[in-house]
Amino acid sequence: MEIDTSSLDEYLDEQGLDGYAVYADSDDSTQRYLSGFDAPDPFFTVYTPEETALLTSGLEYGRATKEARGTVDRTSEYDYQSLREAHESGVARAKLQAAFLDAHGVDSIAVPETFPVGAADGLREEGVALAVDSEGVVDDIRAVKTDEEIEHVREATIANEKSMQACEELLDAAEVRNGTLYHEGEPLTSERVKTEIEVTLLEHGCALDETIVACGTDAADPHDRGSGPLEAGQPIIVDIFPRSKETGYHSDMTRTFVKGDASEAVAEWYELTQEAKRAAFEELEAGATGADVHAAVCDVYEAAGYPTLRDDPSTETGYIHSTGHGVGLDVHEAPSLSPRGGELEAGQIVTIEPGLYDPEHGGVRIEDIAVVTEDGYENFTDYPEQLEV
Amino acid sequence: MEIDTSSLDEYLDEQGLDGYAVYADSDDSTQRYLSGFDAPDPFFTVYTPEETALLTSGLEYGRATKEARGTVDRTSEYDYQSLREAHESGVARAKLQAAFLDAHGVDSIAVPETFPVGAADGLREEGVALAVDSEGVVDDIRAVKTDEEIEHVREATIANEKSMQACEELLDAAEVRNGTLYHEGEPLTSERVKTEIEVTLLEHGCALDETIVACGTDAADPHDRGSGPLEAGQPIIVDIFPRSKETGYHSDMTRTFVKGDASEAVAEWYELTQEAKRAAFEELEAGATGADVHAAVCDVYEAAGYPTLRDDPSTETGYIHSTGHGVGLDVHEAPSLSPRGGELEAGQIVTIEPGLYDPEHGGVRIEDIAVVTEDGYENFTDYPEQLEV
């Protein structure tokens, strides 16, 4: 995949730095993005306007030469074994990385904020000038997707819809006894529904770490993943964010269901949240800011008399999170649709996910995922919004 | 869970530091271990001999007060909103974290090597004395498991064995046509077997990110995860390392299978690897070193004429990795059973995983997981070793 690193070149030029370095395993998405290499142990990558170079162990070398975006050196080329024998391990690693940078003509580097302080201090000790990139210059490059990346997120969204459907069918088929959902004679739990969702995702090439199936008071906390038997008449928030095993790209979607009849309050929350989502999408286009999109949601909720964090920074009920985030190799990445969200660009992929929360009623959230275009957006999510099942 | 932090107290005392700080989400196992809190966004934790204190967003506050090991402050108590309005985001965060440390009487901290350099430089700028713990003092505490943690790994191992069994049954039931394995009329692929394994794990309460099902030349690279149709007569390495969703603790096991008849070379590798595993376990006990255990494996392979990294640091065939690693909240953690592995302690949980690799024949690896005891070990793995299926 060809990525546009011209803004990184400009940044390095402005700062008077030779290169941009990452030391992490490929769970670090900036590492995976810049190196093009997927490995479970930390390795060192340096980007310069001329080349991208990786430094890996002998164990990873063969695969790296085949898969990585750049050239690959192995640690034995820098006599790492002798360095390890002569020095404490952190010092040996710093000397190794400094020698590698020197061999590639790099005396000064920018690193991401998350670069490990142990390695940073070690490189400084070896005389490498190291500056922290507090602007997130690579995060901003990653935020604007290539056509290939857009396709990856679209594919993960299709798998996500299949798993949401499997979830909805399970809720739909459940019986209600004394207010509790039952499936095949057993109480239907949050855990059982998550397994249904996750098995469906595996069968469609996706992995995932966590899924939210939160009912009643669990649903009042946006980060509560939910547990135990599901209850009829209570909102059940289902938030699914899988990662394609093949490409590493994510999708993200939320729906809220009530088995049986929703209370009047929850029905009102649901309609209001649909309205808030429409208002956010109306703002969404290249040139608008993330703050504009977030403000549109706050306007809807505040006009209806609900608290928001904009209105009251200490509120624990009402609208208590931001409106959306970028999605790519990370499930949460730039840009941010929040009070401080900056100008949006075409090619950015974002979620729109308004919601209302209150321990008294639980929570309601609806979330779609879309790519920003010059004159609006394309919504990837093609899943119905129906509260009662 | 009660953890023994006396060595951390000693370390802080020796270094003249007030506390130990972590800034990460709970995917960082040191964060999860010290804070006792599981959250998807980064939060700040400081440990002192007197208390453990967390600093979280309002969104996480309610759950943190219920689940965390320590006291919880929320960012709004330190007027974070105003800091954000007055300063660039990295500076605002540093001022927030410095104010939190000050409120808890902490002027100087140790941090893990992986602490983000952006946050470290920011705190130093605010006058906090920050030293990097290059000894991995918390890693060493984490390496020695409590009875509760041992139980968690044992439970994950049982789930792991069920998934290995599902895999072996699938290989056993496969037909062979023109040298390729078939299942229900389709070529049986690495991907299909991984799905079988991962669905079984989900049904037993485990998640996992990756599984290795590598056949033939794929298996010659210990980190190749494998892909495509499986071939008869070739070694298939199956390495499964699930994480319990409930506890966060991992297990790890590898078996190697051949559908049909193994070649003479692979059969010899298999017997030799069984012998190497036995030799490693004979060394394993409290007071032995990780280096001793690793050397026992090298002795077996070298005596049989195979290259090892000990013998030839640049070899790409033979025994080309270390003998084992600790397993807990991370699938790879301290201690290390490798040339530089230090003295082992009772309560450490480790893998023993010798193997041989060569593109000509593929690879063979066998891996068990065990807890070190005063006079030996207890092997958790109760799964047969049978090469041909």
Side-chain angles (χ1 to χ4, degrees):
Chain A
M1 186 179 71
E2 278 297 311
I3 55 180
D4 178 2
T5 51
S6 54
S7 62
L8 179 54
D9 295 352
E10 277 167 39
Y11 170 83
L12 293 173
D13 186 49
E14 278 165 25
Q15 305 285 323
L17 298 168
D18 297 331
Y20 192 95
V22 186
Y23 178 54
D25 65 36
S26 54
D27 281 348
D28 180 302
S29 298
T30 294
Q31 175 65 288
R32 182 155 178 182
Y33 187 80
L34 284 182
S35 69
F37 185 49
D38 184 7
D41 296 320
F43 59 99
F44 195 87
T45 299
V46 67
Y47 167 91
T48 71
E50 290 75 38
E51 65 164 347
T52 299
L54 283 69
L55 176 65
T56 75
S57 69
L59 188 58
E60 300 291 10
Y61 178 74
R63 213 160 48 79
T65 54
K66 280 178 257 164
E67 296 173 17
R69 188 188 305 291
T71 59
V72 186
D73 295 353
R74 72 188 105 180
T75 55
S76 59
E77 293 170 46
Y78 298 91
D79 209 8
Y80 186 42
Q81 184 99 339
S82 307
L83 289 172
R84 282 299 302 268
E85 280 157 21
H87 303 280
E88 185 260 304
S89 72
V91 175
R93 188 191 56 210
K95 287 185 184 291
L96 167 74
Q97 293 175 351
F100 167 75
L101 289 173
D102 188 57
H104 289 271
V106 174
D107 295 327
S108 57
I109 52 175
V111 299
E113 286 222 315
T114 52
F115 193 91
V117 65
D121 283 2
L123 284 168
R124 285 165 169 162
E125 195 68 32
E126 295 302 317
V128 175
L130 183 148
V132 177
D133 161 29
S134 58
E135 294 168 31
V137 57
V138 179
D139 294 342
D140 289 344
I141 294 172
R142 279 177 44 205
V144 178
K145 269 65 182 177
T146 64
D147 290 348
E148 196 179 328
E149 291 177 291
I150 291 171
E151 210 42 53
H152 293 338
V153 175
R154 199 193 298 274
E155 276 164 21
T157 305
I158 291 169
N160 208 359
E161 287 168 355
K162 301 239 189 258
S163 71
M164 187 64 84
Q165 196 179 345
C167 163
E168 188 171 348
E169 283 168 9
L170 194 55
L171 297 176
D172 188 49
E175 289 170 61
V176 177
R177 301 187 202 161
N178 297 321
T180 299
L181 274 64
Y182 273 76
H183 174 73
E184 294 177 351
E186 300 282 325
L188 182 59
T189 60
S190 167
E191 290 82 353
R192 173 68 186 82
V193 176
K194 287 187 222 183
T195 299
E196 185 77 15
I197 289 168
E198 294 173 8
V199 167
T200 306
L201 287 170
L202 277 176
E203 288 168 352
H204 289 87
C206 289
L208 82 179
D209 203 35
E210 295 292 348
T211 305
I212 294 173
V213 177
C215 180
T217 51
D218 283 355
D221 178 342
H223 276 187
D224 193 313
R225 289 162 195 150
S227 61
L230 301 173
E231 303 295 325
Q234 305 274 338
I236 303 167
I237 291 183
V238 181
D239 188 347
I240 318 177
F241 33 98
R243 179 178 55 83
S244 161
K245 286 187 171 196
E246 194 189 335
T247 68
Y249 284 79
H250 290 81
S251 190
D252 199 351
M253 165 166 45
T254 305
R255 290 292 182 266
T256 302
F257 303 106
V258 172
K259 177 71 179 180
D261 296 327
S263 69
E264 211 171 299
V266 167
E268 185 192 317
W269 285 17
Y270 196 82
E271 280 180 30
L272 210 50
T273 299
Q274 289 182 306
E275 189 187 331
K277 199 187 82 172
R278 279 193 300 272
F281 272 120
E282 269 170 36
E283 288 298 319
L284 189 67
E285 63 178 330
T289 68
D292 294 337
V293 179
H294 181 66
V297 170
C298 293
D299 288 346
V300 170
Y301 286 139
E302 287 171 16
Y306 289 94
T308 71
L309 284 177
R310 178 174 76 173
D311 217 29
D312 171 8
S314 70
T315 184
E316 291 176 17
T317 66
Y319 186 46
I320 53 177
H321 55 67
S322 61
T323 293
H325 53 84
V327 176
L329 286 170
D330 282 330
V331 67
H332 287 162
E333 58 180 45
S336 170
L337 307 185
S338 69
R340 267 167 286 271
E343 193 171 308
L344 299 168
E345 291 178 53
Q348 291 179 334
I349 293 180
V350 296
T351 66
I352 299 282
E353 47 178 312
L356 287 174
Y357 309 88
D358 187 335
E360 204 186 317
H361 302 291
V364 162
R365 181 165 70 251
I366 307 174
E367 176 185 29
D368 286 357
I369 185 168
V371 60
V372 179
T373 61
E374 287 303 341
D375 55 1
Y377 60 90
E378 184 195 343
N379 189 337
F380 296 154
T381 313
D382 181 25
Y383 197 89
E385 287 168 25
Q386 190 185 314
L387 177 61
E388 293 175 352
V389 292
Chain B
M1 188 179 70
E2 278 297 312
I3 55 180
D4 177 3
T5 52
S6 53
S7 62
L8 180 53
D9 295 352
E10 277 167 40
Y11 170 83
L12 293 172
D13 186 49
E14 277 164 25
Q15 304 286 321
L17 297 168
D18 298 331
Y20 193 93
V22 186
Y23 177 54
D25 65 36
S26 54
D27 281 348
D28 180 303
S29 298
T30 294
Q31 175 64 288
R32 181 154 178 184
Y33 188 79
L34 284 182
S35 69
F37 185 48
D38 184 6
D41 296 321
F43 59 99
F44 195 87
T45 299
V46 67
Y47 167 91
T48 72
E50 290 75 39
E51 65 165 347
T52 299
L54 283 70
L55 176 64
T56 74
S57 69
L59 187 58
E60 300 290 11
Y61 178 74
R63 212 160 50 79
T65 54
K66 277 179 260 165
E67 297 174 14
R69 188 188 306 290
T71 59
V72 186
D73 295 353
R74 71 188 105 181
T75 56
S76 59
E77 292 170 46
Y78 297 90
D79 209 9
Y80 187 41
Q81 184 98 340
S82 308
L83 290 171
R84 283 298 302 267
E85 278 156 22
H87 302 280
E88 184 260 305
S89 71
V91 175
R93 188 191 56 211
K95 287 183 184 293
L96 167 74
Q97 294 175 350
F100 166 75
L101 288 172
D102 187 56
H104 289 271
V106 175
D107 295 327
S108 57
I109 52 174
V111 299
E113 285 222 315
T114 53
F115 193 91
V117 65
D121 283 1
L123 284 168
R124 285 165 169 163
E125 193 70 32
E126 296 301 318
V128 175
L130 183 148
V132 177
D133 161 30
S134 58
E135 295 169 30
V137 58
V138 180
D139 294 343
D140 289 343
I141 294 172
R142 279 176 46 206
V144 178
K145 270 65 182 176
T146 65
D147 289 348
E148 195 179 329
E149 291 176 292
I150 290 171
E151 212 42 54
H152 294 338
V153 174
R154 199 192 298 273
E155 277 164 18
T157 305
I158 292 169
N160 208 359
E161 287 169 355
K162 302 238 188 259
S163 71
M164 188 64 84
Q165 197 179 345
C167 162
E168 187 170 347
E169 283 168 8
L170 194 54
L171 296 176
D172 188 49
E175 289 170 62
V176 178
R177 300 186 204 162
N178 297 321
T180 299
L181 275 63
Y182 273 76
H183 174 74
E184 293 176 353
E186 300 281 326
L188 182 60
T189 60
S190 167
E191 291 82 352
R192 173 68 185 80
V193 176
K194 288 186 222 182
T195 300
E196 185 76 16
I197 290 167
E198 293 173 8
V199 167
T200 306
L201 287 170
L202 277 176
E203 288 168 351
H204 290 86
C206 289
L208 83 179
D209 204 36
E210 296 291 348
T211 305
I212 293 173
V213 178
C215 180
T217 52
D218 284 356
D221 178 342
H223 276 187
D224 193 313
R225 288 162 196 150
S227 61
L230 301 172
E231 303 296 324
Q234 305 273 338
I236 303 167
I237 290 182
V238 180
D239 188 348
I240 318 178
F241 34 98
R243 180 178 56 80
S244 160
K245 286 187 169 194
E246 193 189 335
T247 68
Y249 284 79
H250 290 80
S251 190
D252 197 351
M253 166 167 45
T254 305
R255 289 293 181 268
T256 302
F257 303 106
V258 173
K259 177 72 180 180
D261 296 328
S263 70
E264 211 170 301
V266 167
E268 185 192 317
W269 285 16
Y270 196 83
E271 281 179 30
L272 211 49
T273 299
Q274 289 182 304
E275 188 187 331
K277 201 187 81 173
R278 278 193 301 272
F281 272 120
E282 269 171 36
E283 289 297 318
L284 189 66
E285 63 179 329
T289 68
D292 294 337
V293 180
H294 181 65
V297 171
C298 293
D299 288 346
V300 170
Y301 286 139
E302 287 171 17
Y306 289 94
T308 70
L309 284 177
R310 179 174 76 172
D311 216 30
D312 171 8
S314 70
T315 185
E316 291 177 16
T317 65
Y319 186 46
I320 53 176
H321 53 67
S322 61
T323 294
H325 52 83
V327 176
L329 286 171
D330 281 331
V331 67
H332 287 163
E333 59 180 45
S336 169
L337 307 186
S338 70
R340 266 168 287 270
E343 194 171 309
L344 298 169
E345 292 178 53
Q348 292 180 333
I349 292 178
V350 297
T351 66
I352 299 282
E353 48 178 311
L356 287 173
Y357 309 87
D358 186 335
E360 205 186 316
H361 303 290
V364 163
R365 183 166 66 254
I366 307 174
E367 176 184 30
D368 286 357
I369 185 168
V371 61
V372 178
T373 61
E374 286 303 340
D375 55 0
Y377 60 89
E378 184 196 342
N379 190 337
F380 297 154
T381 314
D382 181 24
Y383 197 88
E385 287 168 26
Q386 189 185 314
L387 177 61
E388 294 176 351
V389 292

